[in-house]
Amino acid sequence: MSHEQINQHLSHWTERESTAEAMIPLIGRLYRKNNVVTSVYGRAIINQSVIDIIRAHRFVRQVENSELSVHDTLPILQAMDKLDLGRAHVDIGKLAVKFKEEGGDLTEFLKREIGTVVGQYAAQSEEDANNDTKDVVLYGFGRIGRLLARILIEKAGGGNNLRLRAIVVRQGGAENDLEKRASLLRRDSVHGPFDGTITVDEQESALIANGNYIKVIYSDGPDKVDYTEYGINNAIVVDNTGKWRDEAGLGLHLKSKGVSRVMLTAPGKGDIKNIVFGINNDWITDDDKILSAASCTTNAITPVLKAIEDEYGIEDGHVETVHSYTNDQNLIDNYHKGSRRGRSAALNMVITETGAAKAVAKALPILKGKLTGNAIRVPTPNVSMAILNLNLKKDVDVDGVNEYLRDMALHSELQKQIDFVNSPEVVSTDFVGSRHAGIVDAQATIASGKRLILYVWYDNEFGYSAQVVRVVSQMAGVNYPIFPKRARD
C-alpha cells in the first residue's frame, strides 16, 4: 500500500469525524427544542460522542447490504431542523437508507415520511411546559430503581415528559446516608459512571442530577407519605421493592396524598395486569390504578415468541433461562429460605424455578399452557439468556427464520423490543446497557423441520428498566410517534 493510500484512510476518517461533530448540535437542538429523539437503526445518538455516532452508523453494515455514512444522515438532520417538528422518535438511519434508494427532493421525501409531525412544534411558556409533565416517584432505590432514575433523568432533557420528583427509601442508619445513595447512583460496577453530575443537598434532603431536583424521602410504609408537602401531585409511583405484589399491598400507595397510579417492577399477583410493552400495552386503560411490568425474562421472551407465533405458530415448547445472579442469593454459603439459593452465587451455577414461561400467557394468552420453564443462575452480575426450544406448526429453516427475525427487529412494531445480532464472537458483556427487551443471536439459531431453538440475550437490568419506562410513559400519556413506520414493505 502506498503512502498516499495510507494517508487517504486517515483523511476519510477525519472527514467522518468532522461530519459527526456537525451532527451533534443538530441532534441536541431537535431533542431539547422539539422533543425529537433521533437514532440510527435503533441506536440512540442523543448525548453521544463523535466516535459513538460513527460506530452507530458502522453497525448498519451488519444488518443491511450496504454501508451507511454520516455523510448520508447529516442532510437528513439539517432538513429536519428546518421543518418545525413536533414530538417524535425518528430513525435517521432508516430514513437515509430509504432516501438513497428512492432519491428525489429531500424535503419532500421527509414530508411524506414524517408528515404528521411536520410543523407541529409550538413554543410553550415554562408554565405550560411544567403542566405537560408527569410527576414520577421511585419507591425503592435498588438495582432497578437506580437505572430507572438514570433513564428518567436522561429523558428529562427534552422537556414535556416524565419528571422524576422523588425517591422513597428506608433510613439506612448511617450519618452520611444521602451521600451513600448519591454515590450508588453516581458509580455502578456494571453500568459504569452516571452520565452527568450529581450534587447532594443535605439540608433539603435532595439530589440534584443534571439539573433535576429529586427529593429523598425516608419512610417505612407506602401509605405514610404526604407527597403534596413536596409539591408532588397526581404522581405515578414505581414500586421497585418487590415487597408488595398484590392489589391490597400495592393499593397502600394510593392512600398517600399526591399519588394517582402505581407501577410494580415485578410480576403482579391476582387480577393485576402484567404489561409487556409492545405486546399488550393496549390493555392499559385510564381506569387502571395498579399495573405490573412483569419480569425481565417475560419481557425478553414474549416479543420473540409473539413474532414466531404470528409467522409459524407454536405447538408447545420449553424455556430455559440462564440468568445472572441477583441480590436475593447469598454471596457465600449461608441459610436461605429458597432451595439451592443459599449456596454461593459467585461460585456456583444454581438451578432454580422461574414463572416466566407461564407468565408469558398473561401478556400473550394464545400461548397459555404451551410453555414450560426453568432457570439456572450463573456467576455473572448482569446479562442473561433465554433458550427457546419450540415445536412449531410449520417447517422452518435457519436462514428463513433469521431473516424474518432480522426484519422484525429492524422494521416492525416490535423494533424497540427485539434486537438482532449476527456475529460469531459476541458474549454476555457485549449486551450490557442494551435497551431492547431481548436480542436474538442469529449464529446460535438451530432449526430442523418443525423444531426451532432460539437463543435470546437480554440485559436483565437495563433492558427491563427501559421497558418499565415505556409503560410508565404510556400511563402518563406521554406518547411519541415512531418514524419511519416501516422502512420497507
Side-chain angles (χ1 to χ4, degrees):
M1 182 177 289
S2 68
H3 185 69
E4 182 179 353
Q5 289 174 314
I6 292 173
N7 286 340
Q8 281 181 347
H9 282 286
L10 182 58
S11 176
H12 291 159
W13 173 259
T14 55
E15 285 179 8
R16 291 199 298 272
E17 282 187 314
S18 177
T19 303
E21 286 171 354
M23 294 171 68
I24 289 174
L26 292 167
I27 294 166
R29 184 159 59 246
L30 283 166
Y31 180 52
R32 288 170 181 82
K33 175 191 170 186
N34 303 84
N35 218 345
V36 172
V37 178
T38 50
S39 60
V40 174
Y41 275 72
R43 269 57 184 172
I45 54 174
I46 297 169
N47 295 327
Q48 298 297 306
S49 69
V50 166
I51 300 300
D52 289 331
I53 291 172
I54 294 174
R55 186 181 292 121
H57 285 72
R58 189 70 169 171
F59 163 77
V60 177
R61 72 173 185 158
Q62 297 179 28
V63 293
E64 293 285 13
N65 295 323
S66 61
E67 298 272 349
L68 179 68
S69 167
V70 288
H71 299 299
D72 299 318
T73 52
L74 176 59
I76 300 284
L77 286 170
Q78 291 171 330
M80 286 170 53
D81 191 41
K82 299 175 182 178
L83 291 177
D84 207 26
L85 300 179
R87 173 188 296 165
H89 281 268
V90 181
D91 194 312
I92 62 170
K94 293 178 183 177
L95 288 177
V97 168
K98 191 171 184 180
F99 180 68
K100 284 171 70 176
E101 294 175 350
E102 296 184 5
D105 181 81
L106 178 56
T107 299
E108 291 303 314
F109 167 80
L110 288 175
K111 287 180 179 179
R112 290 196 305 270
E113 292 294 320
I114 60 175
T116 55
V117 295
V118 171
Q120 295 302 305
Y121 171 75
Q124 293 176 303
S125 68
E126 184 175 342
E127 181 180 356
D128 289 338
N130 287 334
N131 289 336
D132 200 24
T133 61
K134 182 70 174 182
D135 291 347
V136 177
V137 173
L138 297 177
Y139 195 90
F141 207 50
R143 297 298 301 157
I144 299 301
R146 292 194 295 273
L147 291 179
L148 289 174
R150 287 189 175 204
I151 296 173
L152 290 169
I153 291 166
E154 169 197 304
K155 288 183 176 294
N160 304 337
N161 214 312
L162 302 175
R163 183 73 59 83
L164 176 58
R165 296 294 309 279
I167 61 174
V168 183
V169 293
R170 291 178 296 178
Q171 180 62 252
E175 291 183 2
N176 58 342
D177 182 273
L178 198 61
E179 181 56 52
K180 282 182 175 292
R181 298 187 189 279
S183 181
L184 285 169
L185 180 60
R186 189 180 288 120
R187 305 174 182 88
D188 191 286
S189 300
V190 172
H191 299 283
F194 175 79
D195 191 10
T197 64
I198 299 173
T199 303
V200 177
D201 185 341
E202 291 279 1
Q203 184 173 353
E204 296 295 331
S205 186
L207 306 178
I208 300 118
N210 291 359
N212 292 264
Y213 188 88
I214 306 164
K215 181 70 177 178
V216 179
I217 302 170
Y218 294 98
S219 177
D220 58 359
D223 56 344
K224 298 179 180 179
V225 183
D226 183 351
Y227 294 102
T228 61
E229 290 184 359
Y230 311 104
I232 300 170
N233 294 282
N234 199 32
I236 298 174
V237 171
V238 184
D239 190 318
N240 312 291
T241 66
K243 184 175 181 180
W244 300 277
R245 295 194 180 188
D246 58 15
E247 193 167 348
L250 294 168
L252 294 173
H253 288 290
L254 298 173
K255 296 182 178 181
S256 289
K257 291 183 179 179
V259 176
S260 62
R261 307 177 85 174
V262 182
M263 164 58 66
L264 170 65
T265 61
K269 297 181 178 179
D271 294 330
I272 294 175
K273 293 178 183 176
N274 285 257
I275 303 298
V276 175
F277 195 88
I279 301 299
N280 66 332
N281 50 292
D282 58 339
W283 293 2
I284 300 174
T285 70
D286 292 339
D287 294 330
D288 291 318
K289 299 301 182 184
I290 302 172
L291 292 170
S292 159
S295 71
C296 57
T297 303
T298 305
N299 274 267
I301 64 178
T302 305
V304 177
L305 288 168
K306 184 182 190 304
I308 296 298
E309 167 64 25
D310 288 348
E311 184 71 8
Y312 303 101
I314 297 173
E315 290 284 2
D316 54 45
H318 177 78
V319 178
E320 193 70 36
T321 303
V322 183
H323 200 291
S324 292
Y325 58 70
T326 66
N327 199 47
D328 172 69
Q329 295 171 255
N330 288 335
L331 192 60
I332 58 175
D333 288 3
N334 207 346
Y335 175 82
H336 194 292
K337 64 180 181 180
S339 299
R340 308 186 202 237
R341 293 197 186 192
R343 304 298 297 279
S344 171
L347 293 175
N348 295 293
M349 292 189 291
V350 179
I351 297 175
T352 186
E353 72 284 345
T354 176
K358 292 183 179 179
V360 168
K362 288 190 174 182
L364 199 60
I366 196 171
L367 295 183
K368 185 175 182 179
K370 293 186 177 183
L371 301 174
T372 58
N374 213 352
I376 305 170
R377 297 288 179 90
V378 295
T380 56
N382 184 43
V383 180
S384 301
M385 171 185 283
I387 305 169
L388 311 181
N389 197 325
L390 306 173
N391 294 311
L392 307 180
K393 296 178 180 179
K394 298 179 182 178
D395 287 345
V396 66
D397 62 84
V398 170
D399 291 341
V401 75
N402 278 342
E403 180 61 25
Y404 168 67
L405 289 173
R406 169 189 169 279
D407 186 69
M408 294 297 292
L410 294 177
H411 306 302
S412 79
E413 293 182 351
L414 293 173
Q415 60 188 285
K416 286 190 173 292
Q417 283 67 54
I418 302 175
D419 201 2
F420 182 89
V421 63
N422 190 22
S423 169
E425 299 295 342
V426 293
V427 294
S428 60
T429 54
D430 293 320
F431 304 104
V432 172
S434 170
R435 301 195 181 202
H436 289 83
I439 307 101
V440 175
D441 191 322
Q443 291 283 324
T445 299
I446 300 171
S448 178
K450 292 182 173 63
R451 188 77 175 274
L452 174 66
I453 302 174
L454 295 172
Y455 288 75
V456 181
W457 299 96
Y458 57 107
D459 184 327
N460 48 278
E461 295 182 336
F462 213 104
Y464 176 66
S465 296
Q467 282 285 89
V468 172
V469 171
R470 291 171 187 136
V471 177
V472 173
S473 294
Q474 181 169 331
M475 293 170 70
V478 180
N479 298 308
Y480 288 70
I482 299 174
F483 300 101
K485 294 297 184 182
R486 186 172 176 85
R488 60 190 78 246
D489 294 325

